[in-house]
Amino acid sequence: MQLSFLTPLFDRRGPWATVYFDPAQNDESGAKRRELSVREACRTLEDEGADAATVRAVRDALMDIGPAEDPSGRVVFAAGGEVVLRHRLSRPPQRLIAGWAPLPRLTPLLELSSQDPVCLVAYIDRTGADFERRGAAGPQDAGQVEGRQHPVHRTATADWSERHFQLKVENTWEQNAAEIAEALNTAYEESGADLVVLVGDPRERAAVHERLPEAVREVTTATEHGARAAGSSSPALEEAVEEARRQHNRRRIEEALDRFRAGRVGVPDKPTDAVEGVPALVEAVREHRVETLLIRPDGADLARETWIGADPDQVAVRRTEARTLGENEPLPVRADDALLRAAAVTAADVLIVPPSDGDGDGTDVPTGGLGALLRWTYEPAPA
């Protein structure tokens, strides 16, 4: 997950009110539970020292959240008497989460927001294609391409006089496939998609797939369900697209963990490609070396105390260390919040990895729940 949408949270200093809110059911008892939950959240913020203006802003924002518009709820971030950001959740929180702290509380957002990748769906026929971006914001138009319209249909006759026409039809298909592939590659790059799903005419799907650049082919799959024609959508097509997204995400997690396990193996006098543990991560984020931050939600290190300054790369394990970074009044925060702030402003990716299975075999990674794949490593100095 890229955290660029959280930038407004780091353009100003806290402290911050954070509330993860489930609007409950759309009935009379649900309305009563929502009211009680709003009161509980505001009371928690007050007890933890939030100012009255910020509490009022949060209360108003929570009262606007309803099950019809936000069935899984929202998270609200507020500071200085105003709500700075609201974000829709993919799954409702199991309990009310509310807090007042120097930094926004972010790890629950990663757990409750869809980590499924952005998917570009290409609806293809022999005359062109329509592209649709599927992400957290729902389906969005991503453009279209129209190829040659004639001739695109073969005749039923086998007469010698028709062979020239048949060749023209096949040439049209091939030319259109090339144009669709070129437009699809452009849409893929512009949409920021992680994978592509091809829908529609089987022959043209295969021809388009063959003409895609290798990097795009590697993240492209196809489904037999659906077509380009209006009204051809179906539950089977929707499930096929969602399954493609789930499989892509599983592969991505497995590949990241394989790379992490290989990269963290300590070999004397050799650089490593991965680190784990708060001290090593603090050093990496200060040097902007984190490519992908790995978070295991049940890890003990997530709540470990760290110290921060005003700048996102002013992170330290000890207060005295934070002062050496130029911050006269460092603040204590959770390690995961400090690391997520640094990851967001340095355009690092963030990946939630499966929690511990509880069997105690020591295979859970990263140790302590926090780790990172690095953008670069330092070669050891020659002896």
Side-chain angles (χ1 to χ4, degrees):
M1 175 183 285
Q2 286 286 327
L3 303 183
S4 55
F5 70 98
L6 296 176
T7 299
L9 302 182
F10 309 121
D11 289 340
R12 60 197 296 172
R13 296 202 73 168
W16 286 89
T18 304
V19 179
Y20 291 85
F21 187 74
D22 178 5
Q25 297 299 314
N26 193 16
D27 54 25
E28 184 175 349
S29 62
K32 184 62 176 178
R33 288 198 301 274
R34 282 197 299 279
E35 182 180 345
L36 293 175
S37 294
V38 171
R39 290 180 184 176
E40 181 184 353
C42 292
R43 184 166 56 249
T44 298
L45 296 178
E46 291 170 345
D47 291 344
E48 295 185 5
D51 61 276
T54 299
V55 173
R56 283 196 300 271
V58 170
R59 179 184 294 111
D60 292 343
L62 297 180
M63 292 302 294
D64 286 339
I65 299 174
E69 301 80 13
D70 301 296
S72 296
R74 281 183 180 256
V75 57
V76 173
F77 301 103
E82 64 176 317
V83 172
V84 178
L85 184 67
R86 286 175 263 205
H87 189 77
R88 182 175 286 114
L89 303 176
S90 299
R91 301 196 312 276
Q94 296 300 305
R95 59 181 177 82
L96 177 69
I97 303 173
W100 178 251
L103 290 180
R105 185 80 185 90
L106 296 178
T107 298
L109 174 59
L110 305 182
E111 296 182 76
L112 298 173
S113 292
S114 174
Q115 207 175 209
D116 289 339
V118 174
C119 176
L120 183 66
V121 183
Y123 299 89
I124 298 170
D125 63 19
R126 295 179 182 180
T127 65
D130 300 319
F131 306 130
E132 183 180 69
R133 185 183 190 275
R134 299 284 192 98
Q140 296 175 316
D141 178 41
Q144 66 177 156
V145 58
E146 294 294 345
R148 293 175 58 187
Q149 304 298 305
H150 301 286
V152 293
H153 298 293
R154 285 176 169 173
T155 62
T157 179
D159 196 298
W160 282 95
S161 64
E162 296 297 329
R163 288 190 177 180
H164 183 63
F165 179 78
Q166 305 284 25
L167 289 174
K168 280 188 173 182
V169 170
E170 294 196 9
N171 287 339
T172 299
W173 293 347
E174 298 296 325
Q175 180 178 331
N176 286 351
E179 292 184 13
I180 293 170
E182 181 179 358
L184 176 55
N185 182 51
T186 299
Y188 172 77
E189 294 176 347
E190 293 180 348
S191 67
D194 299 294
L195 76 154
V196 176
V197 176
L198 304 181
V199 176
D201 182 85
R203 186 187 190 283
E204 201 72 359
R205 280 198 328 252
V208 169
H209 187 271
E210 290 176 0
R211 289 162 174 76
L212 290 171
E214 182 178 357
V216 183
R217 284 203 308 271
E218 290 178 352
V219 295
T220 298
T221 186
T223 175
E224 299 295 328
H225 304 289
R228 189 186 183 197
S232 60
S233 182
S234 68
L237 171 59
E238 296 304 309
E239 176 56 29
V241 172
E242 291 309 305
E243 179 59 23
R245 295 174 71 196
R246 289 192 292 267
Q247 289 185 5
H248 182 91
N249 196 53
R250 285 194 291 268
R251 286 194 301 270
R252 182 165 175 259
I253 292 174
E254 291 170 1
E255 290 169 0
L257 291 179
D258 287 344
R259 179 183 162 191
F260 179 83
R261 292 185 182 99
R264 71 174 181 169
V265 175
V267 179
D269 300 325
K270 295 292 184 180
T272 57
D273 297 316
V275 294
E276 62 187 338
V278 173
L281 283 165
V282 163
E283 180 181 355
V285 299
R286 286 207 301 250
E287 297 168 348
H288 299 188
R289 286 194 290 143
V290 173
E291 175 188 297
T292 303
L293 181 65
L294 305 177
I295 298 182
R296 182 162 54 83
D298 64 340
D301 279 353
L302 274 66
R304 179 172 169 175
E305 183 180 79
T306 56
W307 295 82
I308 63 164
D311 296 330
D313 54 7
Q314 289 179 311
V315 187
V317 176
R318 293 177 293 277
R319 183 176 184 179
T320 54
E321 183 185 0
R323 285 178 170 168
T324 65
L325 299 175
E327 178 58 50
N328 293 326
E329 298 182 5
L331 298 171
V333 299
R334 290 174 56 108
D336 57 345
D337 291 336
L339 295 171
L340 284 167
R341 179 179 71 155
V345 300
T346 58
D349 199 4
V350 178
L351 197 61
I352 294 290
V353 300
S356 168
D357 57 15
D359 63 8
D361 63 0
T363 60
D364 292 317
V365 291
T367 301
L370 295 171
L373 302 174
L374 302 180
R375 287 174 169 146
W376 71 87
T377 58
Y378 291 131
E379 293 289 345

